[in-house]
Amino acid sequence: MLYYILKYAVLGPLLRLLFRPRLEGLEHIPEEGAAIVAGNHLSFSDHFLMPVMLKRRITFLAKQEYFTGPGIKGRLTAAFFRAIGQIPVDRSGKEAGQAAIREGLGVLAKDELLGIYPEGTRSHDGKLYKGKVGVAVMAIRGGVPVIPCAMVGTFEIQPPGQVVPKIKRVSIRFGEPLDFSRYEGLEGEKAILRAVTDEIMYKVMELSGQEYVDRYAADVKAEESRRFRGIIS
């Protein structure tokens, strides 16, 4: 109930008024049945702007840190993310990827929409980074289409580290569904998973117009952090 109150009575109308999102390709979102919406991740605002624009409910896999923050703020944040249908995923340890896949397949098994950011983290510089293959595993094993999605302008309104977003118009673009049924039963083949993931990311790049970097965002962030610590030490 809280989800629909937030979407249709509180958060949805407010976001439409402030950011006036341009929607492109909305007809590519199926009216029923399971599907994965795979997009770029530029801003904290992405968690809200795209879901409230869809008629169907969409469930995202979100990092566990959103659900474990300390104090009143942490509890309110956790309650909010649960209310809007986010599922916490532990991104640490060897089992993290498998846990995310299990959670995602559980959503798809209920014929629902699953939202995922294949980069695994927000872009720190507005570029599009290499996707992790979990999205390919879920698409093949679940036998579902993947709809590429591009958020355009959200990095400019709220880059990482900025708490209050700027009021500026953004665009949300959906591409044609990608069918990977030809790879049924091959979700254990690394080369296949890499090819499927790269195809998804290429479509996202076409929609977003971002510069593509063939490295994982988390690795680049860690490298730059080490370099910064070396400069100031």
Side-chain angles (χ1 to χ4, degrees):
M1 179 62 71
L2 183 55
Y3 171 86
Y4 292 102
I5 292 174
L6 287 171
K7 181 171 181 176
Y8 294 110
V10 182
L11 196 58
L14 179 62
L15 293 179
R16 288 177 185 272
L17 176 65
L18 294 177
F19 300 104
R20 298 171 294 126
R22 298 184 186 92
L23 299 177
E24 301 175 26
L26 199 57
E27 68 275 10
H28 297 312
I29 301 294
E31 294 184 1
E32 58 184 18
I36 297 172
V37 179
N40 58 344
H41 194 15
L42 294 167
S43 169
F44 187 74
S45 300
D46 297 339
H47 289 291
F48 316 108
L49 283 168
M50 189 261 278
V52 300
M53 298 302 141
L54 297 182
K55 291 182 180 179
R56 293 185 61 185
R57 179 168 182 162
I58 182 169
T59 299
F60 273 86
L61 302 180
K63 63 181 182 180
Q64 192 176 52
E65 289 87 338
Y66 288 144
F67 300 82
T68 58
I72 295 176
K73 180 181 177 182
R75 290 195 293 272
L76 289 174
T77 300
F80 178 78
F81 271 88
R82 289 193 181 93
I84 62 175
Q86 310 294 296
I87 296 177
V89 173
D90 184 357
R91 301 184 301 173
S92 63
K94 295 181 180 179
E95 293 298 317
Q98 292 303 315
I101 289 170
R102 285 194 299 270
E103 294 285 1
L105 289 172
V107 173
L108 297 172
K110 294 184 286 187
D111 283 336
E112 297 178 358
L113 289 180
L114 173 69
I116 187 171
Y117 301 118
E119 293 168 276
T121 186
R122 277 178 288 174
S123 173
H124 63 290
D125 57 8
K127 297 176 183 178
L128 183 69
Y129 286 87
K130 186 176 183 178
K132 297 186 177 182
V133 300
V135 62
V137 175
M138 287 185 278
I140 297 173
R141 192 178 296 174
V144 301
V146 177
I147 297 104
C149 172
M151 306 297 294
V152 180
T154 56
F155 184 83
E156 287 72 21
I157 68 169
Q158 193 181 19
Q162 182 170 317
V163 178
V164 180
K166 298 177 183 177
I167 305 303
K168 186 177 179 180
R169 196 169 194 184
V170 301
S171 295
I172 305 172
R173 299 169 182 164
F174 299 98
E176 295 183 4
L178 303 175
D179 178 13
F180 299 109
S181 59
R182 61 190 182 278
Y183 298 122
E184 182 180 359
L186 298 177
E187 66 269 22
E189 299 292 329
K190 292 183 179 180
I192 295 294
L193 296 180
R194 186 72 264 159
V196 168
T197 305
D198 288 347
E199 182 176 341
I200 294 168
M201 299 309 292
Y202 182 79
K203 293 298 182 181
V204 173
M205 181 188 71
E206 285 188 324
L207 290 169
S208 69
Q210 291 171 269
E211 178 184 343
Y212 179 74
V213 180
D214 193 27
R215 295 183 63 193
Y216 293 118
D219 292 343
V220 175
K221 286 182 181 181
E223 183 180 286
E224 293 185 359
S225 178
R226 288 194 297 270
R227 187 182 302 120
F228 178 74
R229 290 198 300 269
I231 292 174
I232 64 174
S233 62

mmCIF file of all heavy atoms in Angstrom, residues 178-194:
data_model
loop_
_atom_site.group_PDB
_atom_site.id
_atom_site.type_symbol
_atom_site.label_atom_id
_atom_site.label_comp_id
_atom_site.label_asym_id
_atom_site.label_seq_id
_atom_site.Cartn_x
_atom_site.Cartn_y
_atom_site.Cartn_z
ATOM 1 N N LEU A 178 15.732 -7.111 -25.856
ATOM 2 C CA LEU A 178 16.771 -7.998 -26.391
ATOM 3 C C LEU A 178 16.419 -9.432 -26.022
ATOM 4 O O LEU A 178 16.157 -9.731 -24.858
ATOM 5 C CB LEU A 178 18.132 -7.617 -25.812
ATOM 6 C CG LEU A 178 18.582 -6.169 -26.046
ATOM 7 C CD1 LEU A 178 19.891 -5.887 -25.303
ATOM 8 C CD2 LEU A 178 18.732 -5.880 -27.526
ATOM 9 N N ASP A 179 16.425 -10.304 -27.017
ATOM 10 C CA ASP A 179 16.045 -11.705 -26.825
ATOM 11 C C ASP A 179 17.295 -12.577 -26.836
ATOM 12 O O ASP A 179 18.025 -12.610 -27.837
ATOM 13 C CB ASP A 179 15.082 -12.122 -27.936
ATOM 14 C CG ASP A 179 14.670 -13.586 -27.844
ATOM 15 O OD1 ASP A 179 14.922 -14.218 -26.784
ATOM 16 O OD2 ASP A 179 14.122 -14.115 -28.827
ATOM 17 N N PHE A 180 17.533 -13.284 -25.743
ATOM 18 C CA PHE A 180 18.702 -14.148 -25.643
ATOM 19 C C PHE A 180 18.307 -15.623 -25.510
ATOM 20 O O PHE A 180 19.076 -16.436 -24.995
ATOM 21 C CB PHE A 180 19.569 -13.726 -24.452
ATOM 22 C CG PHE A 180 20.096 -12.323 -24.574
ATOM 23 C CD1 PHE A 180 19.611 -11.307 -23.754
ATOM 24 C CD2 PHE A 180 21.050 -12.009 -25.525
ATOM 25 C CE1 PHE A 180 20.082 -10.010 -23.868
ATOM 26 C CE2 PHE A 180 21.533 -10.711 -25.652
ATOM 27 C CZ PHE A 180 21.049 -9.706 -24.826
ATOM 28 N N SER A 181 17.116 -15.953 -25.979
ATOM 29 C CA SER A 181 16.627 -17.332 -25.867
ATOM 30 C C SER A 181 17.512 -18.315 -26.639
ATOM 31 O O SER A 181 17.505 -19.513 -26.345
ATOM 32 C CB SER A 181 15.185 -17.427 -26.361
ATOM 33 O OG SER A 181 15.071 -17.000 -27.714
ATOM 34 N N ARG A 182 18.268 -17.817 -27.608
ATOM 35 C CA ARG A 182 19.167 -18.693 -28.384
ATOM 36 C C ARG A 182 20.268 -19.288 -27.520
ATOM 37 O O ARG A 182 20.931 -20.250 -27.935
ATOM 38 C CB ARG A 182 19.769 -17.921 -29.555
ATOM 39 C CG ARG A 182 20.608 -16.717 -29.159
ATOM 40 C CD ARG A 182 20.956 -15.871 -30.378
ATOM 41 N NE ARG A 182 21.801 -14.717 -30.082
ATOM 42 C CZ ARG A 182 21.354 -13.558 -29.614
ATOM 43 N NH1 ARG A 182 20.056 -13.397 -29.378
ATOM 44 N NH2 ARG A 182 22.190 -12.549 -29.407
ATOM 45 N N TYR A 183 20.482 -18.713 -26.349
ATOM 46 C CA TYR A 183 21.531 -19.201 -25.460
ATOM 47 C C TYR A 183 20.981 -20.048 -24.318
ATOM 48 O O TYR A 183 21.679 -20.273 -23.324
ATOM 49 C CB TYR A 183 22.309 -18.023 -24.870
ATOM 50 C CG TYR A 183 23.013 -17.172 -25.900
ATOM 51 C CD1 TYR A 183 22.747 -15.807 -25.998
ATOM 52 C CD2 TYR A 183 23.941 -17.737 -26.771
ATOM 53 C CE1 TYR A 183 23.404 -15.017 -26.938
ATOM 54 C CE2 TYR A 183 24.600 -16.958 -27.713
ATOM 55 C CZ TYR A 183 24.325 -15.599 -27.796
ATOM 56 O OH TYR A 183 24.968 -14.833 -28.726
ATOM 57 N N GLU A 184 19.760 -20.524 -24.445
ATOM 58 C CA GLU A 184 19.148 -21.324 -23.382
ATOM 59 C C GLU A 184 20.053 -22.488 -22.978
ATOM 60 O O GLU A 184 20.557 -23.242 -23.831
ATOM 61 C CB GLU A 184 17.793 -21.862 -23.841
ATOM 62 C CG GLU A 184 17.064 -22.672 -22.773
ATOM 63 C CD GLU A 184 15.723 -23.199 -23.255
ATOM 64 O OE1 GLU A 184 15.346 -22.921 -24.422
ATOM 65 O OE2 GLU A 184 15.061 -23.895 -22.470
ATOM 66 N N GLY A 185 20.269 -22.631 -21.684
ATOM 67 C CA GLY A 185 21.093 -23.705 -21.158
ATOM 68 C C GLY A 185 22.591 -23.421 -21.163
ATOM 69 O O GLY A 185 23.378 -24.256 -20.717
ATOM 70 N N LEU A 186 22.983 -22.249 -21.632
ATOM 71 C CA LEU A 186 24.409 -21.926 -21.747
ATOM 72 C C LEU A 186 24.856 -20.864 -20.744
ATOM 73 O O LEU A 186 25.883 -20.224 -20.931
ATOM 74 C CB LEU A 186 24.722 -21.446 -23.176
ATOM 75 C CG LEU A 186 24.472 -22.447 -24.295
ATOM 76 C CD1 LEU A 186 24.752 -21.809 -25.652
ATOM 77 C CD2 LEU A 186 25.335 -23.702 -24.107
ATOM 78 N N GLU A 187 24.084 -20.704 -19.656
ATOM 79 C CA GLU A 187 24.436 -19.664 -18.691
ATOM 80 C C GLU A 187 25.707 -19.989 -17.909
ATOM 81 O O GLU A 187 26.187 -19.145 -17.137
ATOM 82 C CB GLU A 187 23.286 -19.424 -17.708
ATOM 83 C CG GLU A 187 22.968 -20.579 -16.788
ATOM 84 C CD GLU A 187 21.921 -21.508 -17.379
ATOM 85 O OE1 GLU A 187 21.753 -21.509 -18.605
ATOM 86 O OE2 GLU A 187 21.278 -22.226 -16.597
ATOM 87 N N GLY A 188 26.274 -21.174 -18.116
ATOM 88 C CA GLY A 188 27.533 -21.518 -17.465
ATOM 89 C C GLY A 188 28.748 -21.247 -18.335
ATOM 90 O O GLY A 188 29.882 -21.422 -17.880
ATOM 91 N N GLU A 189 28.526 -20.791 -19.550
ATOM 92 C CA GLU A 189 29.625 -20.520 -20.475
ATOM 93 C C GLU A 189 30.083 -19.071 -20.341
ATOM 94 O O GLU A 189 29.340 -18.136 -20.652
ATOM 95 C CB GLU A 189 29.179 -20.791 -21.918
ATOM 96 C CG GLU A 189 28.766 -22.223 -22.186
ATOM 97 C CD GLU A 189 29.937 -23.179 -22.099
ATOM 98 O OE1 GLU A 189 31.076 -22.762 -22.415
ATOM 99 O OE2 GLU A 189 29.724 -24.339 -21.705
ATOM 100 N N LYS A 190 31.308 -18.882 -19.883
ATOM 101 C CA LYS A 190 31.804 -17.536 -19.618
ATOM 102 C C LYS A 190 31.796 -16.651 -20.862
ATOM 103 O O LYS A 190 31.460 -15.467 -20.793
ATOM 104 C CB LYS A 190 33.216 -17.604 -19.038
ATOM 105 C CG LYS A 190 33.273 -18.196 -17.633
ATOM 106 C CD LYS A 190 34.695 -18.165 -17.082
ATOM 107 C CE LYS A 190 34.744 -18.732 -15.664
ATOM 108 N NZ LYS A 190 36.134 -18.713 -15.123
ATOM 109 N N ALA A 191 32.180 -17.209 -21.997
ATOM 110 C CA ALA A 191 32.241 -16.421 -23.229
ATOM 111 C C ALA A 191 30.847 -15.947 -23.640
ATOM 112 O O ALA A 191 30.677 -14.810 -24.111
ATOM 113 C CB ALA A 191 32.868 -17.237 -24.353
ATOM 114 N N ILE A 192 29.853 -16.799 -23.449
ATOM 115 C CA ILE A 192 28.475 -16.437 -23.780
ATOM 116 C C ILE A 192 27.992 -15.315 -22.851
ATOM 117 O O ILE A 192 27.385 -14.328 -23.296
ATOM 118 C CB ILE A 192 27.538 -17.650 -23.652
ATOM 119 C CG1 ILE A 192 27.911 -18.722 -24.685
ATOM 120 C CG2 ILE A 192 26.077 -17.238 -23.788
ATOM 121 C CD1 ILE A 192 27.684 -18.315 -26.109
ATOM 122 N N LEU A 193 28.259 -15.468 -21.559
ATOM 123 C CA LEU A 193 27.829 -14.456 -20.592
ATOM 124 C C LEU A 193 28.466 -13.103 -20.882
ATOM 125 O O LEU A 193 27.816 -12.062 -20.787
ATOM 126 C CB LEU A 193 28.168 -14.903 -19.168
ATOM 127 C CG LEU A 193 27.468 -16.158 -18.665
ATOM 128 C CD1 LEU A 193 27.918 -16.478 -17.242
ATOM 129 C CD2 LEU A 193 25.959 -15.993 -18.708
ATOM 130 N N ARG A 194 29.740 -13.129 -21.256
ATOM 131 C CA ARG A 194 30.419 -11.868 -21.571
ATOM 132 C C ARG A 194 29.817 -11.229 -22.817
ATOM 133 O O ARG A 194 29.610 -10.014 -22.870
ATOM 134 C CB ARG A 194 31.911 -12.138 -21.788
ATOM 135 C CG ARG A 194 32.781 -10.911 -21.988
ATOM 136 C CD ARG A 194 32.960 -10.138 -20.705
ATOM 137 N NE ARG A 194 32.032 -9.027 -20.572
ATOM 138 C CZ ARG A 194 31.726 -8.469 -19.436
ATOM 139 N NH1 ARG A 194 32.238 -8.898 -18.298
ATOM 140 N NH2 ARG A 194 30.872 -7.462 -19.378
#
